[in-house]
Amino acid sequence: MEFKTELSRLLNEFLETRPDLFLVDLKISAASDVTVILDGDNGVTLQDCLDASRAIEFNMDREIHDFSLQVMSSGLSEPLEYPRQFRKNIGREIEVMLSDSSEVEGELLSVDDEKIVLRLEYRRPKLVGKGKEDVVEEREIPYADIKKALVVIKF
């Protein structure tokens, strides 16, 4: 069986036993360096990474294909890509770069299979008179319009 196919099969078998975890990315370099990036509805622990690594390593024959394996969690600096990743970040501030290259930042209010909803707070010039006014609005953003989305880290 082809290396990538076997690797994917073992990883999927592991993920079937852990429905709270999901695959974000699987990378295999030309030198057979394998990187598995996982995320979870409740985060990913070190033990989760070890379990995934063991599920692959203990079932692959290194005599047939030698490889190095790295299993890691999707970090805060990684972009959000899947509805499950957005869903677990409801209530947090996120920054979204749209496909038209504009950016919006706001609190993630809700997520479904087609879009996210952000609560935006900003100041704009008054529509009547001088000065500025505070504006709070909800904005729906379809996934198709999202180029990149990151959780805003506040200290």
Side-chain angles (χ1 to χ4, degrees), residues 74-106:
S74 180
L76 282 177
S77 61
E78 296 292 317
L80 304 174
E81 296 180 35
Y82 303 102
R84 282 178 83 173
Q85 288 179 296
F86 283 96
R87 198 168 287 117
K88 80 175 210 172
N89 286 293
I90 289 175
R92 292 178 123 169
E93 288 280 317
I94 66 169
E95 180 179 22
V96 180
M97 179 183 283
L98 302 169
S99 39
D100 67 1
S101 295
S102 64
E103 292 183 16
V104 293
E105 184 176 316

Side-chain angles (χ1 to χ4, degrees), residues 1-112:
M1 187 178 289
E2 185 189 330
F3 178 64
K4 184 174 183 173
T5 305
E6 179 67 9
L7 196 67
S8 296
R9 183 185 67 76
L10 292 170
L11 189 55
N12 287 329
E13 284 177 5
F14 167 74
L15 291 173
E16 285 174 13
T17 68
R18 294 293 309 274
D20 59 317
L21 299 177
F22 56 96
L23 180 66
V24 173
D25 200 5
L26 171 62
K27 300 174 189 170
I28 304 173
S29 74
S32 294
D33 296 324
V34 178
T35 303
V36 176
I37 302 175
L38 299 175
D39 205 345
D41 299 325
N42 303 309
V44 178
T45 66
L46 178 59
Q47 188 62 50
D48 295 333
C49 293
L50 288 170
D51 292 344
S53 178
R54 289 178 181 141
I56 295 168
E57 290 223 38
F58 291 172
N59 294 296
M60 293 288 288
D61 188 351
R62 287 193 181 267
E63 297 296 321
I64 295 173
H65 200 100
D66 191 29
F67 64 96
S68 69
L69 176 65
Q70 186 176 27
V71 179
M72 64 182 72
S73 65
S74 180
L76 282 177
S77 61
E78 296 292 317
L80 304 174
E81 296 180 35
Y82 303 102
R84 282 178 83 173
Q85 288 179 296
F86 283 96
R87 198 168 287 117
K88 80 175 210 172
N89 286 293
I90 289 175
R92 292 178 123 169
E93 288 280 317
I94 66 169
E95 180 179 22
V96 180
M97 179 183 283
L98 302 169
S99 39
D100 67 1
S101 295
S102 64
E103 292 183 16
V104 293
E105 184 176 316
E107 179 185 353
L108 183 58
L109 295 179
S110 65
V111 176
D112 64 27

